[in-house]
Amino acid sequence: MLNGCNEPSAVQTAVDLANTLRPIKGEDTLETVEQLRDFLDEHFPAGSVGPTEPSGPTEPTEPTEPTEPTGPTGPTGPASSAADRWAGLRQPLTRADLAEVRALRETVRAVLEQASTDAVGAAALINGGLRRSRATPELRHDHDRWWTEVTSDTDRCSTHLAATTLSALASVIATFGPSRLGVCAGPTCRATFVDLSRNGSKQYCTRTCAHRASVAAYRSRHSPR
């Protein structure tokens, strides 16, 4: 079971960050400070206490795990302290922030690309990124619910994002195994994904890519020889 902040929304944030770069298509949607602001606003809306599911259409993941509990929201409640921890993502952004997040994106994408074939190397990337971000696991509770949350004690946007995304991928590997991280089998896609399904047999990033591959295979089988 994914724990605390490493719920599917945090995993999706890691995947979406990696997929702001599409090498085969030559697309990069994280080239400007404005695009970084849009990414953060989409995944960490004002008033939220952690990653949220993107508003646009995304490939559904199953099964989903319980989200962080709701409870006291006053000055000493969990929601207030969590909001303080995400404040670093709401500071005015600079070109330095953009460069740091783009460097983090390289790490996150490398983890997703190589975990299934080089789990030890992927683990080294995760551990190194967490150390650089000064990530620290903290045990939290609300009423009778306890959970762990990985945070960073710096005010840098990139370190908070690193703590969220890399700890989420680490949780997936520890819970389900490194084979759940992968790259779309579509030859013209190669987007990354994390498979949280029960059977763990995902090969494509979306149903669209899977359907496209199925159609291509059908046409290949029925084409004149």
Side-chain angles (χ1 to χ4, degrees):
M1 183 169 94
L2 299 184
N3 196 344
C5 68
N6 297 330
E7 61 190 21
S9 60
V11 174
Q12 190 63 50
T13 298
V15 172
D16 289 347
L17 177 61
N19 287 340
T20 58
L21 178 65
R22 299 293 183 96
I24 290 182
K25 296 182 178 181
E27 297 173 354
D28 187 342
T29 58
L30 200 61
E31 294 184 305
T32 68
V33 172
E34 291 74 20
Q35 287 175 322
L36 173 57
R37 179 78 276 163
D38 289 344
F39 179 88
L40 295 177
D41 287 346
E42 181 179 5
H43 293 80
F44 305 88
S48 71
V49 295
T52 62
E53 294 289 354
S55 57
T58 59
E59 182 74 1
T61 56
E62 55 179 356
T64 57
E65 297 292 337
T67 58
E68 227 176 71
T70 57
T73 57
T76 59
S80 175
S81 60
D84 291 340
R85 289 192 295 280
W86 298 112
L89 297 170
R90 317 223 185 281
Q91 301 295 328
L93 299 172
T94 66
R95 295 291 300 180
D97 291 312
L98 177 63
E100 291 171 0
V101 173
R102 284 171 61 88
L104 170 63
R105 179 180 67 179
E106 290 184 14
T107 299
V108 172
R109 187 172 182 88
V111 169
L112 287 160
E113 287 179 340
Q114 71 183 62
S116 62
T117 57
D118 180 12
V120 173
L125 288 172
I126 291 174
N127 292 336
L130 290 173
R131 281 194 296 271
R132 288 191 297 274
S133 68
R134 291 162 57 177
T136 304
E138 297 184 3
L139 183 62
R140 303 193 178 280
H141 77 281
D142 179 26
H143 300 294
D144 59 348
R145 170 91 184 274
W146 291 83
W147 71 97
T148 56
E149 183 171 85
V150 179
T151 64
S152 174
D153 64 357
T154 78
D155 61 356
R156 302 297 298 173
C157 159
S158 60
T159 59
H160 289 283
L161 195 55
T164 298
T165 56
L166 294 177
S167 63
L169 296 181
S171 182
V172 172
I173 291 174
T175 305
F176 300 111
S179 63
R180 294 301 187 98
L181 280 59
V183 178
C184 183
T188 61
C189 178
R190 308 300 289 167
T192 62
F193 64 81
V194 171
D195 184 1
L196 298 181
S197 65
R198 286 185 175 85
N199 60 17
S201 60
K202 188 171 184 175
Q203 292 182 291
Y204 298 92
C205 62
T206 63
R207 292 191 180 99
T208 299
C209 273
H211 176 70
R212 187 179 294 121
S214 178
V215 170
Y218 176 85
R219 289 175 177 172
S220 176
R221 288 195 304 269
H222 293 83
S223 61
R225 298 296 180 182

